[in-house]
Structure formats: structure tokens, C-alpha cells
Amino acid sequence: MAVINDMTFKMGGEAGQGADSSGHGFAKALARAGLYVYGNQDYMSRIRGGHNFFQIRVNERDIQASTPGIQVLMPLDLMTVTEHLDEMVPGSAVIMDAPMKIDDSRLTSRGIKPIRVPLTEIAQREGGNKIMMNTASLAVAAGLVDLPFEFIEQVILDNFGNRKGSAIAQANIAVAKAAYDEGAREFGPDFEFKLKPIPNTHRMLINGNQAIAFGAAAAGCRWISMYPMTPATTVTEWLAAHHKKLGIVVKECEDEITAVLMAIGAAHSGVRAMTATSGGGLSLMVEAIGLAAITETPLVVVDAMRGGPSTGLPTRTEQSDLQFVINLSQGEFPRVVLTPGTVEECFQAGWRAFNFAEKYQIPVFILTDMNQSNAIRAIDQDRFDMGAVEINRGDLLTDADLDALTEPYLRHKLTANGISPRAMPGHPNGVMLTTSDEHFENGQAVEEVEMRILQMDKRMRKLDEAAKDIRPPLLEGPEDADLTLVGWGTTYGPIHEARLILSADGLKVNHLHYHEVWPFPSARTEEVLGNARRVIDIENNYTGQLALVIRMMTGIDIPHKILKYDGRPFTGEDLAEKVREGVLINV
Amino acid sequence: MAVINDMTFKMGGEAGQGADSSGHGFAKALARAGLYVYGNQDYMSRIRGGHNFFQIRVNERDIQASTPGIQVLMPLDLMTVTEHLDEMVPGSAVIMDAPMKIDDSRLTSRGIKPIRVPLTEIAQREGGNKIMMNTASLAVAAGLVDLPFEFIEQVILDNFGNRKGSAIAQANIAVAKAAYDEGAREFGPDFEFKLKPIPNTHRMLINGNQAIAFGAAAAGCRWISMYPMTPATTVTEWLAAHHKKLGIVVKECEDEITAVLMAIGAAHSGVRAMTATSGGGLSLMVEAIGLAAITETPLVVVDAMRGGPSTGLPTRTEQSDLQFVINLSQGEFPRVVLTPGTVEECFQAGWRAFNFAEKYQIPVFILTDMNQSNAIRAIDQDRFDMGAVEINRGDLLTDADLDALTEPYLRHKLTANGISPRAMPGHPNGVMLTTSDEHFENGQAVEEVEMRILQMDKRMRKLDEAAKDIRPPLLEGPEDADLTLVGWGTTYGPIHEARLILSADGLKVNHLHYHEVWPFPSARTEEVLGNARRVIDIENNYTGQLALVIRMMTGIDIPHKILKYDGRPFTGEDLAEKVREGVLINV
Amino acid sequence: MSDMKLFNIDEKPTWCPGCGDFAILAALKLALSGLDLYPHNTMLVSGIGCGSKLPYYMKANAFDTLHGRALPVATGIKLANHDLNVVVISGDGDGYGIGGNHFMHVMRRNPDLTHIVENNQVYGLTKGQYSPTSDKGYISTTSPDGSIEIMVNPMAVALAGGATFVGRGFAGDPKHLTQLIMKGIRHKGYALIDVLQPCVTYNKINTYEWYKQRAYKLDDEEGYDATDYESAWRKAREWDERIPIGVIYQEDRLTYEAQVEELADGPLNRTSPHRDREVLDSIKLEFV
Amino acid sequence: MSDMKLFNIDEKPTWCPGCGDFAILAALKLALSGLDLYPHNTMLVSGIGCGSKLPYYMKANAFDTLHGRALPVATGIKLANHDLNVVVISGDGDGYGIGGNHFMHVMRRNPDLTHIVENNQVYGLTKGQYSPTSDKGYISTTSPDGSIEIMVNPMAVALAGGATFVGRGFAGDPKHLTQLIMKGIRHKGYALIDVLQPCVTYNKINTYEWYKQRAYKLDDEEGYDATDYESAWRKAREWDERIPIGVIYQEDRLTYEAQVEELADGPLNRTSPHRDREVLDSIKLEFV
Ligand SMILES: Cc1ncc(C[n+]2csc(CCOP(=O)(O)OP(=O)(O)O)c2C)c(N)n1
Ligand SMILES: Cc1ncc(C[n+]2csc(CCOP(=O)(O)OP(=O)(O)O)c2C)c(N)n1
Ligand code: SF4
Ligand code: SF4
Ligand SMILES: [Mg+2]
Ligand SMILES: [Mg+2]
């Protein structure tokens, strides 16, 4: 009767209690056991106190989102119990420190098992420090669900630098072992949810921001200038932590204006350069992005979205910058907008962005969001294939090309495809001028009608070229579905899960996922949506921005929408339920 | 055979030679003569040199745009002659200083009359200063076309402070008189284009920026903080020149970020406050506009558009910020966008903006452009009716209201229409907190789902309310036309003129003009365009932004477009010609 | 003196236990009540950061703005209603980093604002990156090998920039801080009060102990004359071994609002909107 | 010494006749050739304004950026290719007004940039509004009754902010200016060169004559030691009666780029993109 390899763990507590890092370690142990894992965190805009949690869903198949039910809750404080009681499924367990002040009947009455273990005591006794209570709690959980102890042990060792001899590692292991044994012995037999390692797997555990940063690194990015802003900061922090290995210059600046402008300077000089920020910082970059556009400087900007407007919900998720990014800055210019929805797509966006930027000499945006920035997923290692990463710098003149040049070099030369050969400043034959004013081919400012039109046309032509490189939206599920679910970016996961659930119900449903959204892939959109029977647009925002873009570009209206703007991500179950109930929000 | 009251004058020269101010004086004389006038300038981004011109079209009927043909050219330098020769109509005249180095046959061969008058000599002889040559040139023109001398004299007197005794005024009048007489006597009889004053008229001559500023003043605006940027600066400069009369605080800041934030501070305190800028400055204001939105601070922002992207064409016109303004800043919030297309509409936008801003406690944009900012038009004085200006401050609590308050004041109270009563900070019962974070009704930051949704819904509800106040697009011409011309903002003039021309051709054509564009007037749009036979979208930009918005909001596609992005405004003739020829640019 | 309790509110600060911001909050409340000010005639304007949350935890008019943007909003508020006592709250990143240009230019204007900078030499709210006041060599997630920029010296910049009141306090000495804030509020003009504020979570270098060892009171310096620019300049540049706290410099200069003629008749917000049909019609005639 | 003619180009400046910018252009070309620099190893980075048009009128690599934004672009360029000689050109509004925060923070970093500020104490290109360096009381279209802010003193701010080279030149003395620019370029680190630049069209107060009456050369001051911070501080604050020109202050400090280890092997742009399959695969294992 046991349920094998299908459950959710949740660890919660005040900010600063470490639910996050402990949970992350536990997820790693699960991934190493060959299981698929999806973990996401929820935290408040404060450093200590409040209520944060980390949630880990485990499964035997690749999973893309969390589910509502919890099988094992690991509260570090009382609030975590009371806050999440409603989410516990029958037969689930709450692993509590023995003295936790809650009446067990509040749990048992709902069919939840109160698992009281003297966590602090064990931590102090075996490890000599009560902060090892988190470790104890996780170890009880591992024991409870039959996860072999070796996986817990290994993660502890790793955390402490893999030095077997380390006293602190040994203390933690001792705590874990004692707790594990008690969990397994006292409560295991009675607990129906179990994990069974899958041998011979090669998983890795990564979140969206790491994947984007890793993708950029794989593209040979050597520059990131930025200003800290949640949830984008970790892109930089990951690169900073690896700067020696990657040879990347990391520059924290006095503000986002400087951050983007320094990147523009570096990019103009021939370095693959990027910046990463969130909405408020992006707002400050708007003027400079126009500069990149008119000077045809390759620029990669990561915008990790959060609840808006303004400071809004600074540690919550939202997908509300799409139209902003497509339309930002005065005047008109070509740009590319990538909207990855999985860690694999984040990785790809990370390197593809640089190819778009350099090939077309334009600003390229990677739009991600709070949820995706932090959510971790276990995937097969070969999904991050370094061999498949292409580097295309576009039409970049080499020293030899410049040596051979017989005519004056023209930075903004008019060409058939709109792309002017680029050179790095420094070569005697490549002396170049560029400017934010409209310009002649040689960069001199121009006000005359004719050249203005030619340069404008030239720049806009690049959009047509870039459109050929854009990956059309992904259609998953049967071509001739009765229902088409449409989404972009981070909703990929929950929609994917919802599709599986609804398909299991017998519904013929497919999923149109936009991961590269601008230049807008109109042809494929018309092909799929033009003939769709019933369409639902699903977005983490108020106005249904993708639906608006679709209508703007194709005329196709999607009146049925499921929109969520409370700062929390969807789950597959939520969506499936809403679709079933026909609870469709029309705006 | 004379053509009466239908002609165009053009004065041109290097920057700094005064074509602009002289031309403006001449236009004033014409308006006082009871004629309708439309004048626009064309200038380069430099202080001296280059080539600038000022062009004045005169007519007996109210006119809204310039026309291509010139009847009288007044070159202050040689370049002006060569640059504009192609625009001269047969029978037209070039009024030149006698020694101007150009072969008369280049003129006569095209049927143009070279009118050589020793302008500098007259200036020096009669006035004692050769810079009075401009005056001489205009006076010759006046003589040539039979404009009674009194109008010239009066303008000169006005310019010099209306002091009859002023020596410099007298010198100028002497120059003018001598030149006028020579023009009338020697060349008048042979010249077929004539002006005839219309008595008992009451005209005024005003440009778009003055009209916006005047509208704001009429609304009781008491604050403008700004940073200089062409073509918006003159809004401020006009207010600064009148600050004593209007009691308006004018604050030039260190940048546009400060400018908009100071206005937000002032507005929050209960002052009607605005800022004015162009695209680059607006880009810098993006973050702060989101702040105004979430704190529900009434804010009026004038964006005078110019050729983009980036610095682009800094002294040229374009309509390319529409989508930017509708979508700017992270997250989603209500806003109003006014897009006046005539000086009357500019005036109205100037005061209506404050009512929208205060009634709905939102950011309101007035979009104008370089052409409209500077173009002057003579209109009947009663078109600017101060009595018709309404002041609606919305739900603003008085001291008495606050005295009577029994419950704590809630700045962001949830209400049925989304509007929370506003109070000015300072009253003991009205102590208030607001923040850029999402907040409770009392302004405290909130992260919980429920209040987030309530506040988001509350803010967005205001858009529905505001939609009721928005003036639907103006339809001019027959309801059942064969052709509908669609435009917004400054294209009103040329489209209006084109409609008249095409109607005269016998075409049944009407004109749908958007002057208040967001919240988008979908109902009226569907009504008019849903049944239109043939539609052409006309815009001063590359992508056809209004057409994109129309499609986004109604699904109606307008494949036929006439788009112009060379920094110059349309003329009615251009448009009529393009329509006739079927030269439609499809993007 | 007003009742300090008037400034109390039922909101528990979300700061980390031990954070220097608690003392600043307490000192501000004491200073306001000591000056007989009230929640309704006080306006707090803050940026974004740990320290900038201060207005949430006390009762007074408040506008929490954007990261780095408190000063211009505060200037707008002050000019619109100069009857309000306007206190600006920002962090070091907020006030000297992203908000540095507002800082430079507000000094030239000298509006009557009291600007408290909670200077913990680190970015607290975003979890510990180095800030413009971090010491050179400071190690953080964005400077893993130590930052390679010299720190901003806000006292020196303020003196060079034309501030009319330049002071420094220490969150570890709340009594002294209260007095200093009172002086700042009493000062007619822009008053900068930089506060050494230990961030117990992220800044493990500049701790209470570190500051305590270095901070000394200018009040205790015999004959120190804060109105003497030259002496002030020497004190402003002290750092590291010895860090002076107290009023470093003070000068009399007309405030900005005293020079704006539109404000002569009283606060602008009381007479806005302003409209006189006759005036408008007379202006109309200029276009004729 | 390179041939100055190499820097010539067939573009007539659009400045007003008599504008101080002409002399600055000439001095810059002379300084570059005097230092044996070439168009291809020089990079001019300018903002927007009359003065910022300078790069249009000579031959060299150039990036004309945005109003106020030259410094960060220049820093990016310098760090990406430290072999380039990078000269930044801005106006007073550009450099000290809207670009003030970049100015404050570039000094902390000390990249090897030479920053020429064409200081005409007015906004030229936008037709004569007052600027942050306009004297208090300056009358303009946006200050019809005279501005009521005190001017920025860029020399003092630079000293307080940590600039390692602080100099002032005068467009009315192009020879001296040429020498000064040469010193600035030779200086390893951030060199500020503020140039008194008459705007003959809009600034009728601070004219050639006005400056000439006041400017005096520090070279002529017996025993003036620009490496002495205290003396520099006194000179930096002189204005009005007497205005010192020349090198006010100079200090040796490591440049930013000398401290970035990624640049040790040569310019970054020469080795970008950088990709090592083995390194990447090893990093991948961290996620396991
Ligand atoms: C435009 C913008 N950029 C970045 C952020 C993110 N952010 C919030 S607080 C903060 C820094 C806080 O440091 P500080 O100002 O020193 O205040 P502290 O938290 O240390 O009190 C940053 C970078 C933001 N809110 N807005
Ligand atoms: C963001 C932005 N704001 C405003 C402008 C308009 N603008 C162009 S140049 C300039 C001021 C020029 O003054 P300064 O920097 O002193 O240079 P100058 O023309 O006097 O040489 C301004 C305000 C702009 N281009 N961009
Ligand atoms: S992170 Fe630092 S500054 Fe922020 S609340 Fe905690 S101790 Fe205070
Ligand atoms: S306006 Fe002034 S600064 Fe600009 S070019 Fe003319 S004289 Fe020079
Ligand atoms: Mg800080
Ligand atoms: Mg200037």
C-alpha cells in the first residue's frame, strides 16, 4: 500500500533559521538518489523573522512544478505548522521537535501523524550545537521515508568541504545518524510514503538563475556589471563565485544606469557583456538600452521579474514586464526577448542571448521571474550539453580582415541584411565613431531625410533577420487537441503538469509554450491558434500580456484566461482544477 | 487674376540669424490682420550656422498644416535659396538682399521672380544697424502682398515694449517703412499673390507647448520641476516667464529623475504638479512613474516626442513613444494618455490632465511632438475659453472632512470605484503612510495574497472609471465614407487638410482622430472601424504604433498605412497625393 | 515636548535582533518628542533598504519611496508644505550609492531637511553585497576577493558639496544620537546625519565593537568649533583609527524655501490649485 | 610625437564662432600628438551637449553616448581594452549635473581616464538654462529671477571624492591647456580637467574677459606642491576673485584596472569570448 517516489517535503521557519539551505541540501541528497526533484522557496522581504519555507517535490519522472499536497512537513517554528496544516494530505507527517507547543489532536484529527523527536536534544547531545536541529529534522524525514542514510551523509560531507576528518562534519553526521535511526525505527514502519533510489542515474540540481549564468559562461561571457536587486542578484553572485575559473570581470556599480552603460562600453570594445536586474533596475536602464540600440552595441540584459508595480512584492513572483520590455525606450528599434520556462531553457537563453546580441548587434532580454530564479530542479546532466553550445559572433572583423581593408571602415555601413560588420576599436584601419544621434555610415551625426530613412530601415531589417533565428513556440501534446493552453516563461512547469493531469482525465489537451517571444513568431502562432478549438491563456499577471501581444501581432483574441497576480506561482493541480471547473477569468 | 489670402512665406538662414523670431513677428502681423496662419519651424541641433527656416502659411479659413508650395521666400543666406528653389511655385518671389550671389536666371527660368532690394543698405541707412535686415526683408514681403503697413509697425512696437518713443523701435520702423515702400512700389504691381485683411476678427497666435502650459496654468498647476530637453523645455520656459502671475514654482533639477520625483513629492502634498520632458528624459522617469502609480499620487508628465531611438534626431519630429508610454515601468497599473493634435486640444489636455490625475490618483501623460511643440497657429480667441476650464480634484478631503473623521484615515482604502479619498498630509486626523511596496489600506507593506489581490484590483478598477471620462476619437467627415483616415496627435492637421483636398476631389472620406488614447476607446473604435470600407492608418513613426494598439485592443487590423519617420511632419498635399496614388506602405 | 508614545505604533520591526536600526528608531522618536513635534506635522521620507523600513515602525506621516530616491521626493514635499518637519531616512547604498547625485545637489539647495543615513557599510536588505562605504578590501558575494574601490567619505563630500550641517552619530550611543538628531532637526537647512549602524547579520568587520573602539565625541574635544570650516574639514577626513561623532560642521545659510517667492504667503498646498480668471485672460492677450 | 594632422578630419565644427570649445579641440589634438598617440589607440567618449560634440570634429575612435553618461561607458571601454588611451569629454551639466553620480563614483575606482569637462557654467545646447556651475543669481529662462542654488565646486568635490588628479584649464589659454591635458593623460588614474570655457552665445557673465581677470597659473605660484593635499584643498576652494589654473592636485594610487586580475594577461577584448570545455564540465559537477 506504500506510495513510492511521489511526495512533497516542506521545511519552514523564520528568515535566518536556514530552511532554505537545509532544504537545498536535502534536495541534493534526493537528486543523488536518482530521483527527480522540484524545489521552490517562498520568502519575505526581511532578513530575520517572518515566515519562509522551502518545498521539495520528489518523483520518479521528470517534474516541472510543485503540487499542493504535503507528505512531510519539517517546521522549524510553530508558525510553520499552523500555516501549512491545510496543505497536509491524510497519512502525512509533521516532524517536530519534541517540545513543540501544539496540541497533537489538531494533527491527528485530520489524519496527520505528529512525529515528535527531541531534535534539539539530539543536536546538542550528538553534535554539541542546537543549530544542528535542522540536520536532525531532515534526517528524521530521511529515515521515515527509507532514503538510505549514505545520501544524507554525503551531502553533509560536501557541505563541509568534503573533508572526512572535519570535526563539524562528523558532529553533523552523528546528529543525522541518531535522528535518522529514530525516524526509521520509531515512525518508519507506520508511514506509507516511501522513497526508493533509482540507480545509475546522472542528475544535477540547478535553479533558473544558475542556469542562465551558466549559459552565459558557456557562451564565453566575460563581463557582468550590475547593481544588486532581488531576484536577479544571484546570477551575478554565481558568476562572481566562479570568476577565477571563468575569467569573468564582475563589477558592482553605484546604480543600474552605470551597470548597463559599463556593459555597453565593454561590449562596444568586443567583450561579451551582460547585466542582470529586476524591474526597478530595468526601469533605470531604459535610456541606455536605447543607446545600445542606435549604436548597434550587442547587449544582454537579464530581467528577473517580481511583483509590481514599483517595489511591489519584492520577493514574490510575477510575469508583468513582457510588454514593458517589448516597448521600452523612446523611438523604435529591433530587440530580442527570450522567455525561458525551464532550467534547460534558461541555460539555452543564457548562451543564445549572446549570439542574438552579437549577430544582430542589438539589445537582447532574458525575461525570467522570482519563482524560476530560485526554483531548483533535478535534471539529467546531459540536458546541459556544453558541446551543443554554439558561439556565433556574427560579422566581426578580425585583425587580418582589417589589415586587408582598403576602404575606410564604416561602423554603420548600409547592408542588405542590415548588419554592419563590426570591429573592435584599436586597429589602425578600424578607427570608428558611433553616436546616440542618428548617423551616417561613418558614425557622423546626420539630420538629413535620406540617410535617416536608410539607417532606420537598416536597423529595422535586422528584426526580420532575427525572426528567422527565433525558436517558434513549443507545442506539446496532440496537434488536434480540444483545448490549447497558452503560456510563456515560467508557467511552462505548471501548465505542463496541468496538461498531464487533464490528459489523464481523458481530455485532449495541448500546450503552446513561448520561450522566445520577440520578434514575435506570428506564423506558428496563427498555425496553431488559428485552428485551435478552445484556447486558454495562462499568465502570472493581471492583464494577460502575452494574450495582448498575440492579438496585436495576429489579431487572434483569447478571451479565456487564467491570470494570477498574487505573487505566487501556479501549480499544475490549480490549473487543472480551474480548467475543469471552467473558472476562467475574463479581463 | 490675383490669388487672395492663400499663400506661404518662408524665411530661412543660419541658426542665430533670427529667421525664427522674425518669422514669428510676421505671423503675428498676419494674425492681427484677421488672417488664419499656420507656422512651423525647422531647425538643426546647433546654436549657430547650418540651415534653419520658418514657414508661414496664410489663409482665409482656419488651417491646420503647412502646404508644400512657397509664394514668397525670404532668404537670409544663399543656402536658403538653393535649398528651397524646388518648392517655389510659378509666379512666386524671392526677396533677396541686392548683392546675393545667385544667377537670377536660375529663378526666372522657373518662373520665379528675383526681387532684389538693398536690404542691408536700407537697414544701415535707415536704422543704423545691418541686423535690421530681417525687418527689411519682411517689410518688402508685406509691401509686395499689400499687407497694410500698420500691422508691421504695430508688431515692431510690441517687440520693443510698445514704447512709441523707443529709439530702436523707431529705427526699425524706419527701415521697415523704406523697405515696404520699395517692395510695394517696385514689385507689388507685378505680383499676383495678395493678402487682404479681414476686419473684426479676434485671433490669437499660439504654439502647442504654450497651449499645454497655458492649459496647465488654467488648471491651477502650481509646480513644474524639470530638466531641460528639446522640444519640451519651452513648456517650462513659458511657465517660468509667467511664474509671478501664476504663482507657479518652477524648479530646474539635476536630472529628470529628480524632476519627476520632486513633482511626486509636491503632488503627494496636495499641489497640482507636473513635469515636462522628451523621450530620453522620460526614459529616466520610468521607475518614478511606477512609484506614482502604486502610491496613487496624481502626476502629470508631458512627453514632447522627437526622432528616436536614443538621442536620434533631437530637433526633429516623430510620434514614436506611444507604446512606450502605454507600457512603461515594471508591473501593471492604470494610466491615462492624452494625445492632442491641435493647439485647442493641447490647451484642453493641459487642464484635463490634472483632472484625470487627481480624480483617479494616477500618472497622466500628455504626448505631443517636436512639430506641435513649435508650430504656431492663429485661432479665434474664444477657442481658449477660460470659463470652460473645469477643476475636478476628485475625492480630496477638506480640513472639515478630516476634523469630522472618526475612524483612522486610510490612504489606500478599498472602495467600489477604486478611488481612495485623498488627504493632504499635515492634519492630526490624517496622518498617513504610503509606500512603493504593495500595501494594506493604511499603507503598511503587505506580502499576503488576499490584500495584494484587493489592492491590485482596486487600482486597476480606476482604469474602468477613467475610461468613462476619456473622449472618444473624433470622427470628421461623412459617417458612411468610402475611405477612413486614422491618426492621433499631431497628424490631425495634415490629415484634416488631406481630407479636405480629397473631398474636393469628390472622394467620400472621413477622419478618425485619437486625442485621448488610453484607456483605449475600444467601443467607438469598433463602431467606426468595424464598418469602415477602407481604412488607412497615418503615423509619424516606423511601426504604426496606433494601428498596433488598435489591433491589440479590438483585433481590427489596418494593413494600409502611410508612415513617415524622417523627422519631418506630413503635409495635407503629401497625404492626399499618397492616398491618390495608392502608395501605401505596408509593414 | 510632545508625548513620545504618540509616535508608537503596533508594528514589530522586521530587523534582525541586535540591528543598529532599533536604536536609530528609538532616538528619532525621542528627538521628535523632545522638540515638541507630532506625527501629523512630521513627514518621514525614506528610500528602500533595511534602514529605510524605519517609517513602518512608528507613527508619523511617511512616504517610503524608491531605492536611492528619498531626497527629491522630500524636497518636493518640503517645498509644497514647508510647515512640515521633513526627515529623510536612507541607507548608505541608498543615500551615497544609487542616490549619490541627489545628495550632491540637495546640498546646493539647502532645503530644511534632516537626512539620516543609516550607514552599515553594506547592502543589508539584498543580503550583504559591499556598499559605497564598505572599506576597501571588504569581502562580499560581489567582491569575493575584496572590493577594490576606496570608500566614499560622506563627511568630506558633504563639506565640499556645501552642506550646512554635517554630523555623525553612532547607533551604539543612542543618547548622543538623540541629541544629534535634535540638533539636525533644529538646524534650518539641509542637515546630514550619518549614523554608524552595525549590521549584525552581514557586516562582520564594522561591528559595535569596531565602532566603539574608534568613535569619540566632538563634544569632548576641547575648543572644537563646528562653525569653523577648516577644523571641520580636518575632522571630516578622520576615519579608521579615530572616528569623530557629533556635529562636525554647521553654517547659517538661507534655506531654499526661504528664497522661493511663491512660498512667502504660506504653504503652497494650501493655495493650490491657483486660478485667477482675470490673470488668465490677461495672459491670453499676450498671444494676440 | 605623432603628426597632429592625423587627428584632422573634414568636418566643420557647428559651434558658434568664438566658442571656447574650438580651443579645447585644438589643445586636445596637440596634446595627443605631443604624447605620440594615434587616432586608433585613442578613444574619445563624450556625453551630449555643445562640448560633447567635440569627437565629431577630429579623427579618433569615439563613442558619443548620452547626456551625462560618458564616464560609465568609458570605464567599460577602458576595462575591456586597457591598451586604449581613453579621454572623456563632457559639459558642466553633463558631467556635474545629470552625470554627477558617475563622477562621484569613478573617483573611488580610479580607472586611467582623462576627463575633460568643458565648463561654460550654462546649458549651451539647450539654449541657455542655468547649470550646476552657474553662479548663484544667474539669470536664465529657467531662473528668471536668478538661480537660488550655490554652484558646484568641482575641484573641491573631486578632492573630497578621491580623484587622483585634479586640474583646471582655461580655453583662453590653449597652450597652458595643452600642457595640462598632456599631464592628465600621462597621469595613471582618473584625471579631472575642468576647463573654463566661455559660451559666447548664452553666458554673458562668465566671458573670456571675466575669466582672464581671475585666472592665474599655479605654475607661477612659488613652491606650490600639487602633491600636498592640504595646499590643494585651499586652492580647490578659490573662486570668484582669483581662480587657479593648472594641476591642483596629483596623487599616486593603483588604477582600477591594475587590480582586476582578469586583465593581467592583456586586454579582455582580445580573449573574449572565453570558453574552456574542461572548466565548464568541472563546474557542472558542482551541481551534482
Ligand atoms: C532601483 C533599485 N535597485 C536595486 C534595488 C534593490 N535594493 C533594495 S535595498 C538595496 C540596498 C540596501 O542597502 P542600503 O541602502 O545600504 O540599506 P541597508 O539595507 O543596508 O539598510 C538594494 C540594492 C531596488 N530596490 N531598487
Ligand atoms: C536625458 C537627457 N536630458 C536632457 C537632454 C537635453 N540636453 C542636451 S545637452 C543638455 C545640456 C547641455 O549642457 P552642458 O552639459 O553644460 O553642455 P554644453 O552644451 O553647455 O556644452 C541637455 C539638458 C538630453 N539630451 N538627455
Ligand atoms: S540585515 Fe543587517 S541592517 Fe538589515 S536588519 Fe539585519 S542587521 Fe539590520
Ligand atoms: S551655445 Fe555656447 S557652448 Fe554652445 S557652441 Fe555656442 S558658444 Fe559654444
Ligand atoms: Mg547599508
Ligand atoms: Mg555647459
Side-chain angles (χ1 to χ4, degrees), chain A residues 213-214 216-223 238-250, chain D residues 262 268 271 273-276 279-280 283:
Chain A
F214 202 0
C221 170
R222 294 204 74 189
W223 179 283
W238 189 88
L239 290 168
H242 295 84
H243 82 103
K244 280 182 206 282
K245 283 191 180 173
L246 297 170
I248 186 165
V249 175
V250 176
Chain D
E262 283 75 17
L268 203 64
T271 48
H274 173 86
R275 198 167 55 147
D276 179 332
V279 167
L280 293 171
I283 290 176

Side-chain angles (χ1 to χ4, degrees), chain B residues 32 205 218 220 222 242-244 246 251 254 258 269 381 384 389 393 399 426 432 434-436 444, chain C residues 40 56 61-62 64-65 72 77 102 109 256 261-262 269-275 277 284 286-288:
Chain B
R32 287 182 176 170
L205 194 67
R222 295 203 74 189
H242 294 84
H243 81 102
K244 280 183 207 281
L246 297 170
K251 182 74 206 89
E254 64 269 25
T258 305
S269 306
Q381 284 173 36
F384 276 44
V389 174
R393 304 203 72 188
D399 277 356
M432 68 178 87
T434 191
T435 172
S436 63
Q444 281 286 342
Chain C
H40 75 274
Y56 292 147
N61 293 301
D64 281 21
T65 68
I77 289 173
H102 308 307
R109 297 183 186 127
Y256 192 88
E261 71 178 71
E262 282 75 18
N269 66 340
R270 290 277 141 196
T271 48
S272 175
H274 174 86
R275 200 167 53 146
R277 183 74 195 267
K284 201 166 137 181
E286 294 175 16
F287 293 106
V288 176

